[in-house]
Amino acid sequence: MAKIKTKKPSPVVRIVDWRNLTRMDWFMPIIVLILAIIGWVTLYSATEIQYESYFVTRQMAAFGIGVLIAALILCTDYRFVVALAPIMYLAILVMLYATLSADAIKGSSRWLNLGPVSIQPSELSKFVMVYVLAWYFNFVGDRIKKLPFVILTFVIAGPPILLILGQPDLGTAVCLIPLTGIMLFLAGSRIWHLVFLVLAGIVVLLPFVYFQIHDFDPNPKLRSTMIEAAGPYDLKYHQKKRIHSFLFADEGDNDGDYQQIQSTIAVGSGGLKGKGFQQGTQTRLSYLPYHYTDFIFAHYAEERGFVGCAILMCLYAALLLRGLMFARECPDMMGTQLAVGVIVILTYHSVINIAINIDLLPVTGLPLPFMSWGRTFYLTTMACIGILLSVPMRKNAFVY
């Protein structure tokens, strides 16, 4: 008697699978929670004397919302989200363009007011560009080895960079450059194409910086004249002053490098074990500027010392290395590109912020992940964690 062949039921395709919450890697969320707790304690110490618990409670609320966002991303097939990348790209361009006509805060038009909520599109752009570049590289495939498709990569990345520079937000705009370059390398671009682009960038960048800085006079009396003479994409007065003070610190421009002088004092005065919780004199006496945003690492170093800084850096390293492990073990290149793109963003913010705080780089407004105050950046960081956690989940779950 002939056997009747039965057709095996096709596997259920799920765009969103909440069971991923029980299958995720728990090592990374534990590290994130430890970093978040350190951030809350440090932020409270930095702001309690002036603002009581205003900032830390809102930062904790942002963490709670961020956990929900990360969980949603974790449970959503990233290939479905990547398919929506062109729509996200157009949306972020519209938002960035809208910020150019928004009210300036501290010399920059970075925020959009949506009723009771203010968002910073430049922070969202980094998260969006990871998806956009992954979509583009998946779309062109092996054609990325040809120079025209390499150039098209920067044509795609160019509009967000220029719009962010127009705000101005130099630190965020620069972040998109290594993000694009590293993801381009990962996609399979030829080495000599990348070398050519790097050399071309240096040839353009060095003369630009030279002509911006060589005749700059940090005299505050000339500030209004310089601002009026500046073009739309010239470096702003405060940007020129920061670079000038960093390059020519021996000239005694104390006003220009005040932030880094106080930051260096705070880091150095922490010693081996630090001064203790809420004992940092640079913060308590209001010498250290922006001690709860750009210079929160200096505040942390003063209170926790070298030992505390070493522990913090080890936590960042563990987080990033775990992400690299996810990227290496991912079954498809798209997931690897997403994971590496997120790692580039987190590494850029961590390394550059700490380097600024210890006077290795000129000052630019870059927050430190899980430490600095900033709700949009915090939510973006948590979304990046969601992407990292989602990468090892995707094994033939969805095909589009």
Side-chain angles (χ1 to χ4, degrees), residues 79 82-83 85-86 130-145 149 152-153 156 183 187 333-334 337 400:
R79 289 169 285 190
V82 168
V130 172
Y131 281 114
V132 170
L133 292 173
W135 171 84
Y136 172 72
F137 295 139
N138 182 70
F139 178 76
V140 301
D142 290 338
R143 290 176 292 176
I144 199 63
K145 297 181 182 295
F149 291 95
L152 185 57
T153 304
I156 294 173
M183 289 188 68
M333 180 53 68
M334 183 185 293
Q337 290 169 347
Y400 65 91

Side-chain angles (χ1 to χ4, degrees), residues 31 35 311-324:
I31 296 176
L35 285 170
I311 293 173
L312 182 66
M313 292 181 184
C314 287
L315 289 171
Y316 280 128
L319 177 68
L320 297 172
L321 289 174
R322 194 67 166 184
L324 284 176

Side-chain angles (χ1 to χ4, degrees), residues 55-322:
F55 285 108
V56 70
T57 54
R58 283 158 177 78
Q59 194 88 313
M60 293 173 73
F63 177 79
I65 297 173
V67 168
L68 296 178
I69 293 174
L72 179 60
I73 295 174
L74 164 65
C75 295
T76 304
D77 193 295
Y78 61 70
R79 289 169 285 190
F80 171 74
V81 183
V82 168
L84 302 176
I87 299 174
M88 294 191 291
Y89 179 73
L90 294 176
I92 201 66
L93 289 182
V94 172
M95 295 172 68
L96 289 172
Y97 181 77
T99 59
L100 299 181
S101 58
D103 295 333
I105 301 176
K106 296 182 180 179
S108 298
S109 301
R110 303 181 187 179
W111 289 267
L112 282 181
N113 293 321
L114 304 176
V117 179
S118 296
I119 62 173
Q120 193 173 350
S122 59
E123 292 295 344
L124 298 177
S125 67
K126 293 175 289 190
F127 170 75
V128 169
M129 284 305 298
V130 172
Y131 281 114
V132 170
L133 292 173
W135 171 84
Y136 172 72
F137 295 139
N138 182 70
F139 178 76
V140 301
D142 290 338
R143 290 176 292 176
I144 199 63
K145 297 181 182 295
K146 299 178 181 180
L147 185 58
F149 291 95
V150 174
I151 296 175
L152 185 57
T153 304
F154 287 92
V155 172
I156 294 173
I161 292 174
L162 292 176
L163 289 171
I164 294 171
L165 283 174
Q167 294 180 356
D169 187 355
L170 181 61
T172 301
V174 172
C175 177
L176 296 182
I177 297 175
L179 171 65
T180 304
I182 292 175
M183 289 188 68
L184 181 60
F185 170 76
L186 194 65
S189 174
R190 298 184 187 277
I191 297 295
W192 73 268
H193 287 165
L194 296 175
V195 172
F196 169 77
L197 291 173
V198 169
L199 293 177
I202 293 174
V203 169
V204 173
L205 183 62
L206 290 182
F208 173 77
V209 173
Y210 173 77
F211 285 112
Q212 293 283 321
I213 301 299
H214 81 287
D215 58 350
F216 174 75
D217 189 341
N219 187 346
K221 296 180 180 179
L222 302 176
R223 177 176 180 176
S224 59
T225 303
M226 292 182 181
I227 292 176
E228 292 174 359
Y233 285 99
D234 283 340
L235 292 177
K236 306 303 179 183
Y237 174 83
H238 70 276
Q239 294 171 332
K240 293 181 180 180
K241 193 166 188 178
R242 288 171 176 176
I243 297 174
H244 182 275
S245 300
F246 178 78
L247 295 176
F248 306 103
D250 294 337
E251 294 185 3
D253 178 21
N254 293 328
D255 180 59
D257 55 9
Y258 174 82
Q259 294 175 340
Q260 287 188 302
I261 289 175
Q262 299 303 324
S263 176
T264 305
I265 292 173
V267 173
S269 64
L272 181 63
K273 297 182 180 180
K275 297 179 178 178
F277 179 67
Q278 290 191 328
Q279 299 301 312
T281 54
Q282 291 297 106
T283 300
R284 308 296 285 185
L285 300 177
S286 299
Y287 287 115
L288 181 63
Y290 303 106
H291 52 267
Y292 57 93
T293 53
D294 300 341
F295 289 95
I296 197 167
F297 178 80
H299 167 74
Y300 175 82
E302 185 179 21
E303 291 193 345
R304 304 301 175 185
F306 176 81
V307 174
C309 292
I311 293 173
L312 182 66
M313 292 181 184
C314 287
L315 289 171
Y316 280 128
L319 177 68
L320 297 172
L321 289 174
R322 194 67 166 184

